[in-house]
Amino acid sequence: AQGCEADEFTAEDGTITARLTCEGDTPGANMTMAMDGTYTPGTVDMTVQSNITDEQLPGGEGTMKMSLSGKRVGECDADTANS
């Protein structure tokens, strides 16, 4: 997708909220994405949902929902961080 625009993005007080809208590569195709989650200095937990409209998809639309979590495990060395 191209032409993505952040309609909303906040990351404060341990909460992340983001809303994106993207234009697809084919005429009339688009995607909206919602991200909601929480974070601390050492962790992140988030749910991401994408809604896609594109006549090339079966039924013309699709939805994808995922959850992710991360945990800080230590400092990065310079070689790893720059690769």
Side-chain angles (χ1 to χ4, degrees), residues 1-49:
Q2 59 187 358
C4 292
E5 185 174 315
D7 302 315
E8 175 186 356
F9 181 84
T10 57
E12 58 187 26
D13 300 325
T15 301
I16 301 169
T17 302
R19 303 291 182 264
L20 298 153
T21 303
C22 302
E23 293 179 21
D25 296 329
T26 57
N30 64 62
M31 177 184 73
T32 58
M33 182 181 296
M35 296 178 275
D36 296 288
T38 59
Y39 66 92
T40 69
T43 63
V44 63
D45 291 289
M46 187 177 302
T47 300
V48 180
Q49 181 166 329

Side-chain angles (χ1 to χ4, degrees), residues 47-69:
T47 300
V48 180
Q49 181 166 329
S50 299
N51 298 305
I52 303 161
T53 302
D54 188 333
E55 64 184 30
Q56 295 181 1
L57 292 173
E61 59 186 36
T63 300
M64 177 176 63
K65 187 172 183 178
M66 66 180 150
S67 297
L68 63 95
S69 62

